[in-house]
Amino acid sequence: MLRRTGLFFAVLFCLLAGAAAHANVVVVLNSRDASVTLLDQATYQELGSIPVGKEPHHLMSTPDNKSLIVASAMGNELLLLDPKTGRPQGRIQDVADPYQIGFSPDQKWFVSNALRLDHVDIYQYDGKRLNLARRLPLAKLPSHMAFSADSKTVFITQQGSDQVSAIDLATQQVKWTMPVGKLPAGITMTPDDKYLLVGIMGSDYVEVIDWRAQKTVKKIKAGEGTHNFRAMGDKRHVFVSNRVANTINIIDQKTLENVGTIDVPGGPDCMELTDDGKYLWATLRWVKKVAVIDVAAKKVIRMIPVGRSPHGVYFYNRAPNT
């Protein structure tokens, strides 16, 4: 499935030749500009920009950390970058509307949510290739995903129908669907594999779901436009962004309490954390910038211009997402 376009990558290689000299490159997806901005993590300077297919929203590394996958939703393709330098490696075409993507913990399954097409594509993964196992229709606007620790189940939020569905990966069938709050977006599993946390974007809270019992057990007050999650790497706390409130909260996943708030103007969305846990980077959807946050001080220390509607963000020297 991997296809390379010689001229395209030759031109980009020349444009980004200097990026390899920088130890830590930050990759930012500009969803409305159909581009990727590369930043130097130490100096905050732009290193280059890569044109990609329309609406790149989310990204993640391959299980072996040798490639970074950029999902170009309206471009119907996955662009592969070097995770350390941002240099293009290749592309996987004919992937229908990849909005949010994810690998199961056992690395045997790759899931792609087609937000605008109302379906989920489930691929078998052998370490080299993706083979489509099933295209599964869902109700309305399948958005984000989380996996059970045993890799048997993937959970999908559906923004348009205010639901969460559990899909059995072995059979590629929906096991159950339950109602949640308005416009559910980000979803993550607690480290003990007991609860799902769902960002309720149409309101101001994180919905806590006992997924085995299929019931909501708590609503954790956050901020308006509760959206997406990024773990702190300590197997206990998780950040949650609030796009309307212009804040990021810290949730204790053991006590299920909101234990901190950081003011982040501009519509914070996706986040990435340095491997020492000191600095959180957040894309700001409304102001064409990325914020750098001092975690200990709970304070924004830098605002960096990027493209329009920045969404996903990644760097190689990242803290574990647990």
Side-chain angles (χ1 to χ4, degrees):
M1 296 181 67
L2 184 61
R3 302 178 186 176
R4 300 177 185 273
T5 305
L7 179 61
F8 174 78
F9 288 110
V11 172
L12 289 179
F13 185 87
C14 293
L15 288 173
L16 303 174
H22 299 264
N24 298 312
V25 174
V26 181
V27 180
V28 180
L29 307 187
N30 306 308
S31 60
R32 291 196 62 191
D33 280 344
S35 69
V36 173
T37 296
L38 302 181
L39 302 171
D40 185 306
Q41 192 181 110
T43 66
Y44 309 122
Q45 299 301 308
E46 181 174 328
L47 301 173
S49 180
I50 305 171
V52 296
K54 291 182 179 180
E55 293 196 17
H57 287 288
H58 294 106
L59 72 175
M60 70 176 303
S61 61
T62 54
D64 60 9
N65 288 318
K66 292 182 179 180
S67 294
L68 178 65
I69 305 173
V70 173
S72 175
M74 292 190 70
N76 297 312
E77 67 177 7
L78 306 176
L79 178 65
L80 304 179
L81 306 179
D82 184 304
K84 295 181 180 180
T85 67
R87 286 180 174 174
Q89 295 176 331
R91 61 208 316 173
I92 301 173
Q93 297 178 312
D94 302 322
V95 179
D97 188 34
Y99 175 74
Q100 176 66 287
I101 55 176
F103 284 96
S104 60
D106 65 4
Q107 303 173 14
K108 294 181 179 179
W109 302 97
F110 177 81
V111 179
S112 175
N113 288 346
L115 181 81
R116 63 189 173 90
L117 301 179
D118 298 334
H119 70 246
V120 173
D121 284 341
I122 301 173
Y123 293 84
Q124 291 178 321
Y125 180 65
D126 62 6
K128 296 181 179 180
R129 290 180 174 81
L130 302 176
N131 296 299
L132 184 62
R134 186 177 177 87
R135 175 162 292 167
L136 189 63
L138 286 184
K140 192 68 175 176
L141 303 181
S143 178
H144 292 62
M145 71 183 72
F147 294 88
S148 60
D150 61 9
S151 297
K152 292 183 178 180
T153 308
V154 61
F155 305 91
I156 310 291
T157 57
Q158 294 155 81
Q159 289 185 23
S161 54
D162 304 333
Q163 296 172 317
V164 170
S165 292
I167 298 173
D168 184 296
L169 287 169
T171 64
Q172 299 97 52
Q173 298 289 341
V174 175
K175 296 198 292 187
W176 53 257
T177 296
M178 64 172 284
V180 292
K182 186 178 180 181
L183 298 177
I187 183 170
T188 189
M189 181 71 74
T190 56
D192 59 7
D193 201 44
K194 187 175 182 180
Y195 299 113
L196 290 167
L197 305 182
V198 181
I200 303 302
M201 190 168 55
S203 189
D204 61 354
Y205 62 90
V206 173
E207 190 158 343
V208 183
I209 297 171
D210 181 334
W211 60 273
R212 293 179 176 87
Q214 301 170 40
K215 68 177 183 179
T216 296
V217 296
K218 188 171 185 177
K219 296 178 180 179
I220 305 171
K221 182 67 180 295
E224 289 288 341
T226 307
H227 187 69
N228 208 0
F229 299 92
R230 206 311 176 177
M232 289 185 69
D234 60 359
K235 297 186 178 181
R236 177 159 181 169
H237 298 90
V238 65
F239 297 104
V240 60
S241 58
N242 307 302
R243 294 202 306 191
V244 178
N246 294 315
T247 58
I248 292 175
N249 290 125
I250 301 171
I251 303 298
D252 186 320
Q253 297 179 93
K254 185 174 181 179
T255 64
L256 301 177
E257 298 290 341
N258 182 343
V259 296
T261 301
I262 307 169
D263 292 325
V264 186
D269 197 304
C270 291
M271 298 162 283
E272 188 63 291
L273 183 67
T274 55
D275 52 9
D276 58 11
K278 292 182 178 180
Y279 300 103
L280 181 72
W281 290 59
T283 51
L284 308 177
R285 292 296 293 275
W286 318 137
V287 296
K288 299 187 293 184
K289 293 180 180 179
V290 174
V292 183
I293 300 156
D294 184 313
V295 174
K298 296 184 174 65
K299 182 180 180 180
V300 175
I301 60 171
R302 192 85 177 200
M303 301 277 270
I304 308 167
V306 288
R308 292 185 299 167
S309 194
H311 204 167
V313 57
Y314 172 93
F315 39 78
Y316 190 79
N317 61 319
R318 61 202 299 263
N321 201 6
T322 57

